[in-house]
Amino acid sequence: MPVGAPQEDQVNLMELVQVLRAGWKPIAAAAVALAVISAAYVSFVAVPIYTASAVVMLDTRKPQAVDFAGMVNGLTGDSAELNTEVEVIRSRGLAQKVVEKLDLVSDPEFNTSLREPGLIGKMLGALRDAQPPSAERQLESTVSNLLTAVTVKNQPSSYVFAISVTSEDPQKAKLLADTLADTYIVNQIEMKFDATEQATEWLANRVSTLKLELEAAEEKVKAFNTQTSLVSAETLTLLEAQLKDLRERLGATERERDAAVDRLAQLEAQTDPVERLKLANDAQMSDLARRLDRGEAGVTAEDLAARYDQVVARARLDVARLKDQAAALERSRQALSAQISSQGDDQIKLQQLTREAEASRALYEYFLSRLKESSAQQGIQQADSRVLSAAVRPQFPTAPRKKLVVVMATLLGALIGVGAVLGRHMMRSGFRSARELEDEIGGVVMGQIPLVEGADRGAILAYLRDKPASAAMEAIRNLRTSVLLSNVDKPPQVILSTSSLPGEGKTTNSLGLAMNLVGIGKSVLLIEGDIRRNTLGQYFPQFEKRPGLVSLLSGRATLETVVAHDDSIGLSLIMGERSAVNAADLFMSDAWKSLVEELRTRFNYIIIDTPPVLVVPDARIIASSADAVLFTVKWDDTSRGQLQEAVSMFETVNQPITGFVLAQIDPERMKAYGYGGKYGRYGAYASYGSKYYVE
């Protein structure tokens, strides 16, 4: 895998568990700290709070003193009304009545302006130059504080309310709960009384108005009866019957008149004697005609014509008479129709006035009845609720709940500790196992070296020398084996040891590897490649003033005078020494290359401890003369970014890194993280090696 290749995002639960297990100390410390703080707070700082509760029941079944619906209806008890009553109990108006009744404005518990301000309050008051709040503002604040202490709950599936009030004084809590319940019930009665009184007053005004309207309506009926000659309804019916009979007579007369007019016209138009005789239909004229036909003496045609003229004259008289009769009947009909129409209009007007008077009377009587009912109800109003049980003086405080507070604080502290541990874990960029390191860089981890404890570098050297069977030396032996077998055909002779930054353990690793190689009977030379710091001088202070590498390369000293030998460990050394000469130029010189070639002939193995890669370029230059490059990574410290940058620097000069060393492993922490047993995982099964290590 190439350096810096992105890892697939996934959540490893076992890894998180191991991280939390490794960080149990800060988690426990945070939990204990918050537990102690909370216990101290609830024991010595927090003010105990007492809660008293009065129980009120909404009574929806009320006996009626009189058998009529009240002007102000009672509650039905549906969910909306129950919720409304809860809000009424918690209303500012009701709370203000309690404040005024108990004079809570004078109580520092509810009127915070009466309390002695703390240090911060005094400082803020001095900065603001605040004036004391007005009486109105103190009242509003006291009401708000009381409402904060009030809790109203409706018991499920019931008409019962629990009115709870908290206070620093148990007796005060009981008094407040009872007073609030009583005030709520009295408020219901007062509201009903006020509503009834307002309704009574409105009804009284309405009744007076309706009475005047009724009197005015009746006066209109009376005045109309006086001003008009009205007949009764029965008489009007008879007149209508007369009008019908008159219309029938008029019709018959008009038909008779028309027939008479037609007969007169026929009589006047006829000239034939025979036809005249038939039309006349007169007995006398018929007798004269028979006598004339018999030829009786004294009867002439003139007599017959004279008689016909009489018949026509009589017909004219009949027509005139019938016309007069029809005209008279028509006049009578018109007069009677006009009389009936006038009487009908007056009757309708009278009926309308009468109905209006009756409606006014009914409305007046209804409101008068409601006025009497309302007046009767003013003295019998009842509240919709009643106190089911008065509050009891609490014996024990309800807050703070010490055990719960301590437990919750402990849990909170543990959560804070867990958050801190996980946050630190998520933010970490170091490596805790060889697998992590190999996955990151795509290289081979040749060694995993535990942290060697020591007060100073001399103590570390003594540890490595005196405890060859220790876990650290066993891990270095594994490193030695891996290095020597890295190239079977041509085992590396010149080995370079470097790291990203100082303090990552490369010098200790170089020294331990050199001592291990000496242990198998090889001649080994350890060269201080970091001439700027002269770290080996802290391990071997007896050689610190000895001529070093710079003197050798500059020709001021010979190899025999520069090489130091420590008989206690059988190791040869070339110390570093400070110089104004540029180290990079020094290691790029032919003298350096010649020196390396000469040393190859004198020693079996040459180990060069170089400066950090990210600080100076010396290591990359020296690497060109080495057979193997060991790169030390400090366990759980060297960041991925630092490692990637350092490895990239080697890649730019085409110098491969032979292997990596995970150094300064903390055994206990590594075990906590789940990477190994007692001594950490320094090999595939190194956790089983505790029986083989001698510390």
Side-chain angles (χ1 to χ4, degrees), residues 399-420:
R401 299 172 64 180
K402 296 183 179 180
K403 293 182 179 179
L404 179 61
V405 171
V406 173
V407 170
M408 295 303 294
T410 304
L411 293 178
L412 178 60
L415 289 177
I416 293 174
V418 168

Side-chain angles (χ1 to χ4, degrees), residues 237-475:
T237 302
L238 292 176
L239 289 177
E240 290 176 347
Q242 290 178 7
L243 178 60
K244 181 179 180 182
D245 180 64
L246 189 59
R247 286 174 178 168
E248 292 176 352
R249 289 172 56 194
L250 176 60
T253 302
E254 287 179 342
R255 289 191 296 273
E256 187 178 355
R257 179 198 65 192
D258 294 338
V261 171
D262 291 340
R263 184 170 180 273
L264 176 61
Q266 291 176 2
L267 290 173
E268 291 178 343
Q270 191 59 251
T271 57
D272 183 42
V274 177
E275 293 297 328
R276 281 187 173 186
L277 182 60
K278 291 179 180 180
L279 288 175
N281 193 21
D282 182 68
Q284 187 175 358
M285 187 175 177
S286 298
D287 183 56
L288 288 174
R290 287 193 298 270
R291 290 170 63 186
L292 182 62
D293 290 338
R294 287 195 303 267
E296 291 183 3
V299 178
T300 62
E302 288 78 8
D303 293 334
L304 188 58
R307 184 59 185 169
Y308 184 77
D309 291 338
Q310 290 178 357
V311 171
V312 171
R314 190 174 62 234
R316 288 192 184 95
L317 291 175
D318 289 340
V319 169
R321 178 181 56 78
L322 290 173
K323 287 184 177 179
D324 290 341
Q325 287 180 359
L329 289 173
E330 176 65 21
R331 287 192 295 273
S332 298
R333 184 193 67 78
Q334 292 179 356
L336 187 58
S337 296
Q339 181 181 3
I340 291 175
S341 176
S342 176
Q343 288 290 329
D345 292 342
D346 290 343
Q347 192 73 20
I348 291 173
K349 181 69 178 294
L350 178 61
Q351 290 176 354
Q352 181 178 358
L353 293 175
T354 303
R355 283 195 298 270
E356 290 178 356
E358 289 176 352
S360 298
R361 178 177 296 281
L363 193 60
Y364 168 74
E365 290 176 352
Y366 172 77
F367 275 90
L368 182 61
S369 175
R370 299 297 291 174
L371 175 61
K372 292 179 180 180
E373 292 177 1
S374 176
S375 300
Q377 276 191 327
Q378 283 186 328
I380 59 173
Q381 291 296 345
Q382 296 180 5
D384 292 317
S385 303
R386 61 187 178 89
V387 176
L388 198 60
S389 61
V392 178
R393 185 180 184 276
Q395 300 296 322
F396 305 99
T398 55
R401 299 172 64 180
K402 296 183 179 180
K403 293 182 179 179
L404 179 61
V405 171
V406 173
V407 170
M408 295 303 294
T410 304
L411 293 178
L412 178 60
L415 289 177
I416 293 174
V418 168
V421 170
L422 292 179
R424 184 180 63 183
H425 173 71
M426 300 303 292
M427 295 177 63
R428 75 176 180 90
S429 60
F431 301 93
R432 289 178 178 166
S433 69
R435 177 64 60 83
E436 286 185 14
L437 183 56
E438 290 176 349
D439 290 343
E440 180 69 23
I441 60 177
V444 178
V445 176
M446 292 185 171
Q448 301 178 64
I449 314 301
L451 178 65
V452 178
E453 299 290 346
D456 53 24
R457 297 184 187 273
I460 293 175
L461 177 61
Y463 181 93
L464 297 176
R465 182 188 62 229
D466 299 336
K467 297 184 179 182
S470 65
M473 289 304 289
E474 288 295 336

